[in-house]
Amino acid sequence: MNILWTLMILFVGGMMAQLSYVADSPRQHWPRVVALVAVVLAAIPILPLLSAVGQTTGVPGDLHSGYWLSVMDVAWIPTLGIRVVFGLDGLSLVLVLLTLFLGVVAVLSAWHETEQRQGFFFLNLLWTLAGVIGVFSALDLMLFFFFWEVMLVPMFLIISIWGHENRQYAAMKFFIYTQASSLLLLISILVLALLAWRQTGQLTFGWLDLVAANIGSQTSVWVMLGFFTAFLVKLPGLPVHNWLPDAHTQAPTAGSVILAGILLKTGAYGLLRFVPSLFPDALTQMASIGMVLAVVSILYGAKLAFAQTDIKRLIAYSSISHMGFVLLALFTWSPIALQGATIQMVAHGLSSAGLFALAGALQHRLHTRDLNSMSGLWAKAPRIGFFALFFVLAALGLPGLGNFIGEFLVLLGTYQVWSTATVFAVLAMVLAPVYALIVIQKAFHGTANKDVVIADFDGREIFMMSMLVVGLIALGLFPNAILAITEPTIDWMTSWAP
């Protein structure tokens, strides 16, 4: 029931944020307070589950064996074999906590930036968070698909209503890509359920039931490609990444924080949770192709990142590169690489959220995203410069911070499987400092423009950024805090290897 309470708090909190808004009155700013309180309250049912980590017993394949930290299983549409099944294990628990943590950051980043229809904005923000948490916890594939759609619609509205100059184009591009991938995912789920029905005589959409059915027909290869492509769009990876730079560039700051920090992780989660367990043989058959695709995504994203002058597009392309490491880990099926992928998901969520919050703050103050129009900002806003330097160093993989741990473990695990792929992936770690230095040099060094007046970070922004800084340092110095939580899940995942 823990996850149900969290979802209810976010859904109800969103409605209360909308109802609390009254334009042109002292109450017009109440929605942001309501939203912040709702996100904090939503974490209360989840936090006690941390005490159960390492104490679970039982068989992972049995929902009621004691392996799962939290379980809810009730009938929804019995005739079609559809149930409301929520379950949290180590992997999903980490991602749910990341969602709520970045939810607080997103609300704080929109504190003064979003003034138009503030109640409706925070309703969409909280409902997006609820959809993401549903994705991370749903263990029935139709329920998973329901929340997959729930998180997309409010994000589309956030981009199209509160975005920047080309928001309608970016929102429509985001909608077309995501809805096309959603249709492909739905078709794949239906075909998978029908294949299992033909084999077992039982119609079910339960993930664990479908894993136990062990579909091994040639058709399953095509079904796996449907799942893989749908999740690859959201990761994103080549060649279905084209929606991301525009969506990030045009989204408001809070939207970019949620997109980069959380929504991209739903694609990574889908790849790690469902593809290996449902299609182990098919995944093995395309392992070499998948690793090549991952390496190309890593290098392509890094190459295009340092060719950008728009700071948000630069960060967006760097996200494609960093999330490519998660894709690389998937096809190695190495425990070390998969553990690195989980660390990378969390670390990238924190560092990308910090970078997009920084970019949004600069755009809000300077009314431009063009790095060529920024110069010498460190002298005028040293606090902004400090946080910019920190998050840039985190993104390029500075030892001692979380991103380094994630990428290092992925490369270490990959080297044991295919050393050639590791060599090419390492090249991205050479390109990363290039675009990192471009940001710092162009925006914060050089001769300051005397006509530019910029306010430095205030207390709220310092607190928001400090949350992310502490998270990245803690992840870099104490990665075992996450590794210990996700280890049982990773061990179970690697047991699926044929």
Side-chain angles (χ1 to χ4, degrees):
M1 291 293 290
N2 305 67
I3 200 68
L4 181 62
W5 281 112
T6 294
L7 293 173
M8 289 178 60
I9 290 171
L10 291 174
F11 279 123
V12 173
M15 290 186 288
M16 290 181 63
Q18 169 64 30
L19 294 174
S20 67
Y21 177 73
V22 178
D24 301 323
S25 80
R27 289 177 55 188
Q28 65 179 332
H29 299 304
W30 283 18
R32 63 193 185 189
V33 178
V34 173
L36 182 61
V37 172
V39 177
V40 173
L41 291 178
I44 294 177
I46 302 298
L47 291 174
L49 298 178
L50 289 171
S51 63
V53 172
Q55 302 177 16
T56 56
T57 58
V59 181
D62 183 356
L63 193 63
H64 305 286
S65 67
Y67 165 81
W68 297 88
L69 299 170
S70 177
V71 172
M72 178 182 174
D73 183 5
V74 297
W76 184 11
I77 310 176
T79 306
L80 299 178
I82 301 175
R83 303 182 65 83
V84 175
V85 185
F86 291 113
L88 291 178
D89 63 353
L91 176 62
S92 50
L93 175 62
V94 167
L95 294 175
V96 167
L97 291 175
L98 174 67
T99 301
L100 294 170
F101 183 83
L102 293 184
V104 173
V105 174
V107 173
L108 292 175
S109 67
W111 204 258
H112 292 306
E113 180 179 336
T114 306
E115 299 292 341
Q116 176 193 8
R117 302 174 66 183
Q118 197 175 98
F120 191 49
F121 174 84
F122 284 109
L123 179 144
N124 284 286
L125 182 63
L126 292 185
W127 283 17
T128 301
L129 296 177
V132 171
I133 290 175
V135 165
F136 288 148
S137 57
L139 298 183
D140 182 280
L141 292 186
M142 290 305 292
L143 183 67
F144 174 86
F145 180 77
F146 169 78
F147 282 104
W148 186 265
E149 290 296 289
V150 166
M151 72 178 181
L152 298 179
V153 175
M155 180 53 65
F156 166 78
L157 294 174
I158 288 175
I159 298 173
S160 62
I161 298 175
W162 294 278
H164 302 302
E165 61 276 4
N166 292 322
R167 58 184 179 272
Q168 299 296 336
Y169 167 78
M172 188 55 63
K173 197 172 185 179
F174 168 79
F175 185 80
I176 291 173
Y177 269 85
T178 53
Q179 288 307 300
S181 66
S182 294
L183 178 60
L184 184 60
L185 178 62
L186 177 60
I187 293 172
S188 301
I189 290 173
L190 293 174
V191 172
L192 177 63
L194 291 175
L195 289 174
W197 185 24
R198 181 185 301 175
Q199 179 172 312
T200 64
Q202 178 186 7
L203 181 60
T204 179
F205 290 91
W207 169 56
L208 294 175
D209 295 329
L210 294 172
V211 170
N214 191 23
I215 305 300
S217 66
Q218 184 63 31
T219 311
S220 67
V221 176
W222 296 102
V223 180
M224 187 275 286
L225 287 175
F227 275 84
F228 177 78
T229 304
F231 295 138
L232 188 66
V233 170
K234 192 55 57 66
L235 186 66
L238 286 173
V240 287
H241 67 288
N242 194 251
W243 64 271
L244 181 69
D246 293 298
H248 271 317
T249 302
Q250 300 304 321
T253 302
S256 293
V257 168
I258 296 298
L259 266 174
I262 304 173
L263 256 68
L264 303 191
K265 310 308 176 291
T266 60
Y269 172 81
L271 288 171
L272 295 177
R273 173 70 80 191
F274 298 115
V275 175
S277 59
L278 293 171
F279 315 101
D281 296 315
L283 189 67
T284 302
Q285 292 177 27
M286 65 173 296
S288 298
I289 298 174
M291 282 194 273
V292 170
L293 182 63
V295 171
V296 172
S297 291
I298 292 170
L299 294 175
Y300 175 84
K303 169 63 171 65
L304 287 188
F306 76 78
Q308 305 302 312
T309 57
D310 185 312
I311 186 171
K312 285 186 118 181
R313 291 186 74 88
L314 185 152
I315 301 168
Y317 278 113
S318 73
S319 292
I320 296 173
S321 178
H322 293 305
M323 293 306 293
F325 284 92
V326 178
L327 186 61
L328 183 62
L330 171 69
F331 287 100
T332 65
W333 222 326
S334 160
I336 296 176
L338 291 172
Q339 283 281 47
T342 60
I343 293 288
Q344 177 70 357
M345 290 162 68
V346 177
H348 178 264
L350 298 175
S351 62
S352 63
L355 287 170
F356 277 112
L358 175 79
L362 290 175
Q363 182 176 5
H364 185 65
R365 288 164 165 81
L366 302 175
H367 307 291
T368 182
R369 297 185 302 270
D370 188 1
L371 287 169
N372 293 325
S373 301
M374 306 176 191
S375 181
L377 295 182
W378 197 298
K380 297 187 174 185
R383 291 192 289 270
I384 295 179
F386 166 78
F387 285 110
L389 180 61
F390 178 87
F391 289 117
V392 161
L393 292 175
L396 64 83
L398 182 73
L401 300 179
N403 303 67
F404 171 79
I405 300 295
E407 293 180 1
F408 175 77
L409 290 178
V410 171
L411 293 172
L412 180 62
T414 304
Y415 184 80
Q416 298 172 353
V417 178
W418 191 12
S419 57
T420 304
T422 308
V423 171
F424 283 100
V426 167
L427 294 178
M429 304 186 75
V430 178
L431 295 175
V434 177
Y435 61 73
L437 290 173
I438 288 175
V439 172
I440 296 300
Q441 182 180 12
K442 287 189 174 182
F444 294 96
H445 294 294
T447 304
N449 189 337
K450 296 181 180 180
D451 298 328
V452 173
V453 178
I454 180 172
D456 211 344
F457 276 160
D458 58 22
R460 170 186 57 84
E461 292 167 311
I462 292 175
F463 174 75
M464 175 184 71
M465 292 295 194
S466 297
M467 289 172 57
L468 299 169
V469 168
V470 171
L472 284 167
I473 294 175
L475 191 60
L477 298 181
F478 309 102
N480 197 53
I482 300 296
L483 297 177
I485 296 175
T486 59
E487 183 177 11
T489 305
I490 300 301
D491 289 342
W492 182 33
M493 289 174 60
T494 53
S495 70
W496 298 326

